[in-house]
Amino acid sequence: ERRDEREPVVRAQRARRWCCRCPDAAQLRFFAPAAMRDYDELTAFLGEWGPFQRLIFFLLSASIIPNGFNGMSAVFLAGTPEHRCRVPASANLSGEWLNLSIPLEKRGGRSVPSRCRRYRLEALLNFSALHLQPGRDVNLSQVEQEKCLDGWEYSRDPYLSTIVTEWNLVCDDDWKTPLTTSLFFVGVLLGSFISGQLSDRFGRKAILFATMGIQTGFSFLQIFSTSWEMFTVLFLIVGMGQISNYVVAFILGTEILGKSVRIIYCTLGVCIFYAFGYMLLPLCAYFFRDWRTLLLVLTLPGLLYVPLWWFIPESPRWLLSQGRIQEAEAIIKKAAKKNGVQAPAVIFDQIEVNVHMISSSAYFSS
C-alpha cells in the first residue's frame, strides 16, 4: 500500500530528471500511464457545486454586469432630442416674426418646424422693422432660407444633455452620432481578436482584471471629454475592454467549474447577469438625464470589483499549461478546503503534465 501511495511521487521525480536530459514526447510517454487522465477526472473529488464553485460562479457572473451597461449606453449618451435653429435673443424681432422664424417641413406625415433651416434672419429683421405681417403682407414660401448659423435650441425632454447637444452633432454633422456607436463596436471587434491571445500569454486572471480596469478607467476619462473626437477614441478603447472582459470571464469560468456547472454558467450565468446590466441601464438613465452624470453613475460600480482580485483565482488549467504545477495544486487544495473535502497529496502527475505540454506544443507548431 505504501508503495502505491508513493508511486505518483516517484514517477514525478523520475520525470523531472529525465526531462532535463531528453524532453522528447516519445521518450516521456515511456513513463506515462497507459491512459492519461483529464483535468476533470483529476479534480472530481472537489464535487460540482460546493461553496468554492458557487463563489466563482456568482463572482465571475457579477463581473459581466458592467458589460451590459456599456453595450447599449450610447442609446442614452448619444440620444438626439428635438431641436430647431436658434434665433439670437439680441435679434429685434416682433413676436409674430419670432414665432414664424422657422419654416415648416413634412416629417412623419405631419408639418413640423424644420430642424436644420430657418428663414434668413436679415430679411425677417427688415420685415419686422417695416411692421409687415407674415402671411398677409409677406408670402413665407418666397422668403429665403439659411442654415442654423447661430446654433440650435434643444428640447430638454427626455434628456437634459447628451453628446449630441454638447457638440451639436445634428444636421450636417449628424453622421457623427452613428459613427460613435460604430467605432465602439470596432473596439469590440478588436478586443475579440486580442483578448484570447493576451489571456493565453499572461493568464486569465491578470487579463480579466486588466480589462476591467480599462473599461472602468477609460469610461471615467470620457466624462472629461472636451470634444467629440476625444469621446469617440475613448469609447473605442472602452469597447475593447468591454468584450475582452466578457470573453476572459467566460473562459475563466469554463476552466474552473465542473462539467455540469460549466454548462449552466455559459448559458444562464453569463447571459442573465449581462441582461441584468442591460435592465439597470435605462433605470439609471431615467434618474440621471445629464450624459456626464449618467456616465459617472455607470462607471463607479467598476470600483466594486477591485476586491474580487483576492477571491477569484487563476485558472489551474492555464497554470498547468505553463508548467506551474505547484501553483495549480495550491489552488485546488484551497478549493478542497473550502468545500470541506480532503485533497490527495499529489493531484497532478508531473509526467502527465509534461507529456501533455510537449504534445500540445508539437500540435500547435505543426
Side-chain angles (χ1 to χ4, degrees):
E1 292 179 0
R2 291 182 60 85
R3 181 179 180 182
D4 292 341
E5 292 176 358
R6 287 178 51 81
E7 184 177 350
V9 178
V10 173
R11 187 184 298 276
Q13 292 173 345
R14 293 169 63 192
R16 291 190 187 99
R17 292 196 299 269
W18 190 260
C19 285
C20 296
R21 300 196 303 269
C22 51
D24 178 80
Q27 292 169 318
L28 282 171
R29 289 194 186 94
F30 175 78
F31 294 101
M36 288 180 60
R37 298 165 295 169
D38 65 10
Y39 176 88
D40 291 317
E41 182 183 350
L42 293 170
T43 58
F45 64 89
L46 288 176
E48 289 285 326
W49 192 238
F52 173 75
Q53 287 90 345
R54 291 196 292 270
L55 180 68
I56 298 302
F57 183 98
F58 288 108
L59 290 185
L60 286 177
S61 296
S63 73
I64 301 294
I65 294 176
N67 297 335
F69 290 159
N70 290 308
M72 295 296 289
S73 62
V75 171
F76 302 100
L77 298 176
T80 303
E82 284 297 322
H83 53 278
R84 53 182 287 178
C85 293
R86 176 182 288 114
V87 176
S90 58
N92 189 19
L93 289 177
S94 65
E96 289 181 319
W97 282 108
L98 183 62
N99 292 334
L100 295 173
S101 59
I102 307 298
L104 298 178
E105 64 182 13
K106 288 287 185 180
R107 194 163 62 243
R110 297 184 302 125
S111 294
V112 294
S114 174
R115 293 174 174 173
C116 301
R117 308 287 294 179
R118 73 182 184 187
Y119 292 118
R120 192 162 66 89
L121 186 58
E122 184 179 349
L124 298 186
L125 289 172
N126 291 333
F127 298 148
S128 181
L130 295 172
H131 303 290
L132 300 178
Q133 297 295 316
R136 188 190 68 183
D137 303 319
V138 178
N139 185 354
L140 292 176
S141 63
Q142 296 179 352
V143 178
E144 186 180 355
Q145 298 181 12
E146 63 185 3
K147 294 183 178 180
C148 300
L149 303 179
D150 296 293
W152 290 262
E153 293 178 354
Y154 295 95
S155 169
R156 293 174 67 84
D157 182 33
Y159 310 106
L160 295 180
S161 70
T162 67
I163 65 169
V164 173
T165 64
E166 182 88 9
W167 296 300
N168 292 322
L169 308 182
V170 293
C171 299
D172 291 343
D173 287 333
D174 60 355
W175 57 272
K176 293 182 178 179
T177 302
L179 180 60
T180 300
T181 306
S182 297
L183 289 177
F184 172 81
F185 286 102
V186 169
V188 170
L189 179 64
L190 295 175
S192 301
F193 288 137
I194 66 174
S195 56
Q197 302 296 325
L198 291 175
S199 64
D200 286 345
R201 176 67 179 84
F202 299 104
R204 318 308 193 199
K205 180 179 177 179
I207 299 303
L208 174 67
F209 283 90
T211 52
M212 281 184 186
I214 290 172
Q215 185 174 203
T216 302
F218 283 90
S219 291
F220 184 73
L221 289 177
Q222 281 184 290
I223 299 172
F224 305 99
S225 297
T226 57
S227 65
W228 170 78
E229 290 80 6
M230 177 180 175
F231 179 91
T232 303
V233 170
L234 293 173
F235 209 26
L236 184 147
I237 299 174
V238 170
M240 293 177 63
Q242 187 253 13
I243 192 62
S244 298
N245 181 6
Y246 181 92
V247 169
V248 178
F250 191 96
I251 294 172
L252 185 56
T254 57
E255 291 185 347
I256 292 180
L257 299 172
K259 290 182 178 179
S260 60
V261 181
R262 188 183 307 153
I263 297 172
I264 300 174
Y265 172 76
C266 296
T267 55
L268 291 179
V270 170
C271 297
I272 288 177
F273 280 79
Y274 195 88
F276 186 61
Y278 272 142
M279 292 187 292
L280 286 178
L281 174 61
L283 181 65
C284 293
Y286 179 81
F287 289 104
F288 303 96
R289 303 194 180 199
D290 170 73
W291 76 269
R292 294 182 192 270
T293 305
L294 174 61
L295 196 52
L296 179 62
V297 170
L298 298 179
T299 299
L300 288 179
L303 299 177
L304 300 177
Y305 293 99
V306 174
L308 299 190
W309 176 269
W310 290 275
F311 295 94
I312 297 177
E314 180 56 271
S315 166
R317 291 176 185 265
W318 180 81
L319 290 172
L320 290 174
S321 72
Q322 304 299 305
R324 295 157 63 176
I325 299 175
Q326 293 182 346
E327 294 177 57
E329 286 196 345
I331 292 172
I332 298 300
K333 289 178 179 179
K334 187 176 180 180
K337 183 178 179 181
K338 191 171 186 64
N339 284 357
V341 297
Q342 182 65 40
V346 177
I347 301 174
F348 303 111
D349 192 337
Q350 177 78 51
I351 186 64
E352 292 185 18
V353 174
N354 287 335
V355 170
H356 176 72
M357 287 175 61
I358 292 177
S359 298
S360 299
S361 176
Y363 173 80
F364 286 111
S365 63
S366 61

